[in-house]
Amino acid sequence: MIYLGGGGSEVDEAKIWDLAFKAGQRVVVWPFAMLSTRWQGTREWITGSLERFGDFASISLGLEGPDFGLLDADIVAIPGGNTFRLLDHLQRNDLLPALRNFLDNGGRIYGGSAGALILGASIAITDSIVGGQDDNVVADLKGVQGLNVLGGCVAYPHFELGADNFEGHCHRWSQAHNVTVIGMPETCGIQFDPSGSALNAGPSPAHVFTPDGQRTVWAPNTMLLFPF
């Protein structure tokens, strides 16, 4: 199962964290969207944020190959930072197919902000050159394809309705690239089954942009089926 966070705090995303995390789990954190100097701090933030759930079997950083913690994980947590840095690390260590295999075998993935973006079809929408939120800090990135486990859609976190750099950008991108874009406010979380069935856990609505120029309001606590 896949759990997408809109890029807010653990309080903003509490609804989706409630679905994703359970006491007793083995949690592996992939902090690769951050500079390495912040990896340990990212683990500490995750650990502190999960205290309200009770005791976990383990909460560790998956930093070393060949499996980067996947063999000892019930859920992989991929928090935010720079999406291009994150995708570069996954590509260089051949972790996209490993992550897909983990998911196909019943593993859970939580992706917040950059972590949500890499689970979609592509991360190109977030490039600041085209109006997105992230600078491409990787000179030799080997493509911009994501894990593509969201029914062919692209997730766009930190979404703000009425702001051209969010709403307008999602409209334009969807139409120009013939792809469905899910705009996720920071106070929004989506549970996505690989079969295509998805729940907006709320508390905020999400916004679904389709290539025909339409925007559909996805109310909290309602389901949609993707491809949309």
Side-chain angles (χ1 to χ4, degrees), residues 77-144:
I78 311 176
N82 184 280
T83 312
F84 294 95
R85 182 183 295 117
L86 171 59
L87 184 58
D88 179 58
H89 193 96
L90 300 184
Q91 288 175 346
R92 290 179 183 276
N93 292 283
D94 204 27
L95 286 174
L96 287 175
L99 191 59
R100 181 56 189 261
N101 185 64
F102 173 77
L103 179 66
D104 289 346
N105 283 282
R108 295 181 173 208
I109 304 171
Y110 160 78
S113 188
L117 273 154
I118 61 100
L119 297 175
S122 167
I123 70 165
I125 189 174
T126 198
D127 195 327
S128 60
I129 290 178
V130 299
Q133 306 172 61
D134 279 338
D135 292 333
N136 186 349
V137 296
V138 182
D140 57 347
L141 192 69
K142 299 174 182 177
V144 292

Side-chain angles (χ1 to χ4, degrees), residues 35-51:
L35 292 171
S36 59
T37 53
R38 299 183 64 183
W39 288 358
Q40 188 58 45
T42 300
R43 177 192 173 277
E44 292 170 359
W45 167 67
I46 292 279
T47 300
S49 299
L50 292 178
E51 285 182 352

Side-chain angles (χ1 to χ4, degrees), residues 18-78:
D18 288 347
L19 295 175
F21 297 103
K22 308 294 179 185
Q25 288 174 328
R26 298 168 298 167
V27 181
V28 168
V29 182
W30 282 3
F32 309 128
M34 295 286 189
L35 292 171
S36 59
T37 53
R38 299 183 64 183
W39 288 358
Q40 188 58 45
T42 300
R43 177 192 173 277
E44 292 170 359
W45 167 67
I46 292 279
T47 300
S49 299
L50 292 178
E51 285 182 352
R52 68 184 179 90
F53 293 98
D55 294 331
F56 285 77
S58 59
I59 303 174
S60 59
L61 292 171
L63 302 182
E64 298 182 1
D67 66 286
F68 289 81
L70 289 177
L71 293 180
D72 298 308
D74 298 306
I75 182 168
V76 175
I78 311 176

Side-chain angles (χ1 to χ4, degrees), residues 7-18 45 48-50 52-53 110 186-189 202-204:
S9 69
E10 69 276 13
V11 176
D12 294 329
E13 297 183 4
K15 295 288 188 180
I16 199 66
W17 284 53
D18 288 347
W45 167 67
S49 299
L50 292 178
R52 68 184 179 90
F53 293 98
Y110 160 78
E186 293 185 352
T187 50
C188 174
S204 294

Side-chain angles (χ1 to χ4, degrees), residues 89-227:
H89 193 96
L90 300 184
Q91 288 175 346
R92 290 179 183 276
N93 292 283
D94 204 27
L95 286 174
L96 287 175
L99 191 59
R100 181 56 189 261
N101 185 64
F102 173 77
L103 179 66
D104 289 346
N105 283 282
R108 295 181 173 208
I109 304 171
Y110 160 78
S113 188
L117 273 154
I118 61 100
L119 297 175
S122 167
I123 70 165
I125 189 174
T126 198
D127 195 327
S128 60
I129 290 178
V130 299
Q133 306 172 61
D134 279 338
D135 292 333
N136 186 349
V137 296
V138 182
D140 57 347
L141 192 69
K142 299 174 182 177
V144 292
Q145 293 75 31
L147 192 61
N148 196 16
V149 290
L150 306 180
C153 300
V154 170
Y156 201 64
H158 305 285
F159 179 83
E160 297 178 15
L161 187 64
D164 185 68
N165 59 326
F166 289 98
E167 184 177 356
H169 181 51
C170 289
H171 262 306
R172 291 187 292 270
W173 192 267
S174 176
Q175 293 173 78
H177 297 273
N178 194 35
V179 65
T180 297
V181 178
I182 305 172
M184 299 179 60
E186 293 185 352
T187 50
C188 174
I190 295 172
Q191 177 180 274
F192 211 108
D193 188 281
S195 68
S197 178
L199 167 71
N200 178 8
S204 294
H207 299 267
V208 182
F209 298 84
T210 46
D212 60 1
Q214 299 299 307
R215 174 178 63 84
T216 299
V217 179
W218 185 0
N221 303 311
T222 61
M223 305 282 295
L224 288 179
L225 186 63
F226 293 87

